[in-house]
Amino acid sequence: MTSFILILLASIFFTGIVNRVKSITSGRKGPGILQPVKDVIRLFKKKPIYSKTTSFVFQVAPGIYFASVIMAIMIIPLGELKGIISFDGDFVFFAYILGIGKFFNIIGALDTGSSFEGMGASREALFSMFAEPAFFILMGSFALLTNHSSFQEIFTSMHFGSSITYVLGVLATIVLVMIALVENSRMPFDDPKTHLELTMVHEVMVLDNSGFDLGLISLATNLKFAMYGALIANLYMGNFPLYLTIPIFLGIQFMFAISVGILESFTARFRMNRNPQYILVLSSVSLLIFLGVLLVLGEFR
Amino acid sequence: MEAFELTIGSLTLVLLSLIAIPLLPIKHKATGGLILVVLIAILSTIPASKALFQNSTYQFRYETGYSPGNISIRIDSLSAWFILIINIICISGALYGKGYLKAYLDQKANISIHWILFVVLQMAMLWVCMAQQGLVFLIAWEIMSLSALLLLMFEHEKIETLNAGIRYLVQTHLGVILLTTGFIWLYSAEGSFEFSAIDKFFRHHPNQWLFLLFFLGFGFKAGIVPLHTWLPYAHPAAPSHISGVMSGILVKMGIYGILRITTFLHTGFFQIGTGILLVAIITGLYGILNAAMHRDLKRMLAYCTIENIGIIFLGMGIGLIGKATGNLVLASIGFATALLHTLNHALYKSLLFFTAGNIYQQTHTRDMEKLGGLIKNMPGSGLMFLIGSIAIAGLPPFNGFVSEFLLYTGIFIGIKSIGVHYVTIMITSFASLALIGGISMLTFTKSFGTIFLGNPRTEFHRQPREVSLAMLLPCFLIICIMLSIGLLPQFYFSLVQNVVQLFVPVVSTEINFIPAALTYSLAAIGKYALLFILLSITILIIRKIISRENTKPAVTTWACGYPAPTPKMEYTGKSFSKSLGKLLNFIVPEGKKYKEIQTGEIFPKKRKYASHYMDVIETKIFNSIIDRMLYSLNYFKFIQNGKIQAYILYGIFFIVLVFIGTIFKLI
């Protein structure tokens, strides 16, 4: 429960911080940190417009997407504290519940019959498909390392005793940050601020959403960011007491947000047709982690 | 009820179908067929459910005094599991076929024979599951294959149906040759065709080779890559309820055969397990990649069947590796997954084929790129296709997720418990399972999106309408079962454990070696799947309340300011999966038919551009082998010259040959 509330809390500020960092680095005054939340509230009050082409799928899709993100957040633990949902193999449930959200997101986009939204949907499906093995190899390696298979148990028993596990933690951070960027369609993979539909991924999928639906989608995006931040934070928490884990959690979320902001300010978007290759690199990094785990366990003797 | 009455009763019902169905008036033939199917189902379900729930095995032997002529029948929990699946799918198939074939009521003889064969097919499949003796098994197997062949050739006037039928006939018989060889080998070694002789054989001999023979023989039916090439032709050609039955259970009979042989194995678990695991990974990835590319709806579903066969084999391979390493938990999870996924796949694949049938009946096309926006005309079918898609992509809250979750858990336990060379295999299967999941999501978002969403891509002369309730009813039934598996997986898992005992002999029934954590996890995914459904509904209700009087009138889809978008501008299914196809074009190459404009052509003429995705294994490997064979076999063409006199002469030659052979004691 604690982690759930903390993630909700972090999500309020997360995108705001990212935007603030971006505005500072580019020398603009920029909006306040709470601006994304205000945007969502404004969207909730707005009248939605629907295309004549759309069917009920378009109307239910954002809700189910949002529900899936909420379910996924419930699974995330905080150090020793379990998430609301916790059982052996819960990370599989985590990946697949996010999967169903994505499924509805994609068919919601296809429901508009637009020539652009299908493109975004296709890219989203392709990119997340390539990111999936990386996540599973990563979690499989940690399961091998810790002999556990639920988030909370894996994270608490990832004793950073030998020096290699620190390296593994860093590598895992890289993988998780990259997965977070892919899943949230952020900078090196997708430019959320681009104005050309042809080069968008996520933004083009929600072109026709408006009002409450669009509010739900942007809320879900904020939540997803904080969720991945929480996962990364968990890598470093171990079994620390609560008065340490909460500062660590907030600190890592803050650092994550700042680094996303800096990354977005100083890098250009990858070429679209190169994206799958970049994402496949994640799988090889995960394989490195796997080999590292084998090393730690002394399997190569 | 005694097993004897079961056999007699079943044969009587088939005979009854032969007599009764042709005599019924054309309108009631389907009802007659349905009633017989239900009767057979009841007859076989009673012993099967006893075998499954109470572990009481049914046995029946008919001794003729001559050992190859003995008939022995046995229903144990493995047979029972498959019998129940057969009955569920056959009843829903018959129910659906009753509505589906209404459009063909003018073909009287065709319909009669179709329903008779449907009954025969069901009975033959049941006998395949019951027979415990090689010869009886082969006869039942052959009746099953042939009745399926004739069922799939319902529209026999079409060339593509004939083509598909011949492919199926040849490939299924290649399998039969291997099976027959296997049984003859068995007979020559052990002097018996009984299945128990396989057990004896495996005790004294190395297990791999005979198993390989059976594996390949059954593999033709199961459609493992590279023996799969009949599936993508047979499924589109058959009427939809037959495709559903074929993909749902006929293909699974291959799985049944392999599982049955697996129960007798004594050694060689590691080699066999690893081999199966590798075949499974290749089958799964190859199947789903091809499914992602194809635009023929039923062909796509056929490739998707291949993928799911891969997942079933993945479970089986893990189970065998568990046996090899003595890890009973791993073994039982592996086999449980294989069995459960067999049921799951049978359910959602027949559901998808039935909805594909609805689409075909209304639009008379299977080409996804010609469809679009159907959800407005056919909301019921659309919703069902959506549910089937979610289930088959392995997403919660439906049943597909349960077997995938079990598989992940199994691989997990595998990773934890065994040495480094196993770990590599396990992590490979882990990654490929994730990749399969990803690609199947892409495949089914594409299919659902292209067929049901957006604007219609072609104008139909007759607007597609929702099909009759009778055709939707079997789909409803299937969805109910699917949802029950998704929400109560622990119940089905414990049910499957009765079957798993055949593979993983329990030392004592009191020791429950399935960890409590796993049962808890399974219960948890059911519970949280329900929570997810409730959460979604709550959010949607809130949304409804907030935006009740708050909706602006509908407009056209935003097209970047372009005011007159047409359906032609919609994103097509092909472009949806194109980027994946481009990346992996060495597995799914695209064949193009296009003549480049020559420099000398001053006024280029009208030209056509056509492209289609090819099955690498079929076009690059099999076709080249067949071409070579044809080249050399051409020299023997004079033998088949179409003259009856010559054929009679061959007969005489043969008789003389046999005569001389017996005189000189050569035969």
Side-chain angles (χ1 to χ4, degrees), chain A residues 182-261:
Chain A
V182 173
E183 297 279 321
N184 286 304
S185 310
R186 298 305 287 211
M187 194 51 168
F189 304 101
D190 176 22
D191 186 357
K193 288 281 169 275
T194 178
H195 293 287
L196 180 61
E197 284 85 347
L198 284 171
T199 59
M200 295 175 178
V201 179
H202 179 74
E203 298 306 309
V204 74
M205 285 175 71
V206 297
L207 268 184
D208 267 79
N209 287 94
S210 54
F212 190 78
D213 293 346
L214 188 59
L216 275 184
I217 290 172
S218 28
L219 201 56
T221 312
N222 296 348
L223 283 170
K224 242 175 151 179
F225 242 132
M227 177 181 79
Y228 280 105
L231 263 188
I232 295 164
N234 267 306
L235 281 177
Y236 297 96
M237 269 177 211
N239 45 5
F240 294 147
L242 199 61
Y243 61 84
L244 276 179
T245 46
I246 292 181
I248 290 179
F249 177 89
L250 295 177
I252 286 183
Q253 290 277 16
F254 188 64
M255 271 159 58
F256 181 38
I258 288 180
S259 48
V260 169

Side-chain angles (χ1 to χ4, degrees), chain A residues 144-158:
Chain A
L144 183 60
L145 179 68
T146 59
N147 223 355
H148 286 295
S149 56
S150 77
F151 269 139
Q152 187 256 350
E153 286 171 329
I154 286 177
F155 289 139
T156 43
S157 53
M158 237 176 54

Side-chain angles (χ1 to χ4, degrees), chain B residues 141-142 144-146 148-149 168 171-173 175-176 179 215-224 227-228 230-231 246 249-255 305 309:
Chain B
W141 185 266
E142 194 61 20
M144 173 186 87
S145 304
L146 289 179
L149 168 75
Y168 169 72
Q171 297 214 6
T172 204
H173 279 94
V176 172
L179 293 182
F215 180 73
L216 291 178
F218 288 123
F220 269 107
K221 189 61 99 203
I224 52 174
L227 311 177
H228 67 280
W230 64 275
L231 269 157
M246 279 178 80
I249 38 179
L250 187 73
V251 166
K252 304 293 169 16
M253 288 295 108
I255 305 277
T305 303
I309 294 295

